[in-house]
Amino acid sequence: LHGKECPLYHSCVDIVATLYSMAIGVSIEEAKKEAKKVIITGDALKKFYEFVKAQGGRLGELAISENVIKVRAQKSGRIDTIDALGAAKLAAKLGASRMKLEDKIDYRVGIMLSVTEGDTVNKGDLLMNLYLKDYNQEFTENDFNFINIVDF
């Protein structure tokens, strides 16, 4: 929303254009132009901030944990799939979501992926950063199996 292209930019434009086209009754091409325009001008970001404020959110108070573990590729290959459910389970283990309704969410922790499906990686390349409450948390290899790397 900062007017810059990221790995999800085209997917977001496509989704927004489809919804906008259906709601307003314009062509997909026209809707894509409008979606790109509001991103480039910053209007989309302004609207996002309005939504957050209207819901009582306070983005300025968010902090990210300084406890970071870098997870690297164990082999070279191509990122075939990234399983959203597996990522969600790891995020929950970190405390970034709830397993039970009464669980508290720690907004400082989470996962920042450095790869996307279709990327090629070499052994040792960064796959993700894990932001932890503290370094005492234990992980198994299965916690990271949601990223499937296939041989070239």
Side-chain angles (χ1 to χ4, degrees), residues 27-41:
S27 70
I28 291 288
E29 292 76 24
E30 189 176 333
K32 281 185 181 184
K33 285 180 189 173
E34 184 64 21
K36 290 176 182 179
K37 182 180 101 181
V38 297
I39 292 171
I40 290 167
T41 62

Side-chain angles (χ1 to χ4, degrees), residues 6-13 116:
C6 69
L8 296 176
Y9 174 82
H10 296 288
S11 296
C12 290
V13 167
T116 189

Side-chain angles (χ1 to χ4, degrees), residues 55-92:
Q55 296 176 37
R58 299 179 307 269
L59 292 175
E61 296 177 19
L62 288 179
I64 298 172
S65 176
E66 295 180 7
N67 304 318
V68 182
I69 293 179
K70 296 182 179 302
V71 178
R72 300 191 176 275
Q74 298 299 305
K75 68 177 189 174
S76 296
R78 182 180 52 79
I79 305 295
D80 183 44
T81 56
I82 300 176
D83 177 55
L85 180 58
K89 287 179 180 179
L90 178 57

Side-chain angles (χ1 to χ4, degrees), residues 86-92 94 96 109-113 128-131 146:
K89 287 179 180 179
L90 178 57
L94 296 171
V109 302
I111 304 167
M112 172 130 349
L113 293 176
M128 70 188 96
N129 285 325
L130 300 182
Y131 295 87
F146 66 91

Side-chain angles (χ1 to χ4, degrees), residues 50-59:
E50 287 176 26
F51 286 153
V52 171
K53 184 177 179 181
Q55 296 176 37
R58 299 179 307 269
L59 292 175

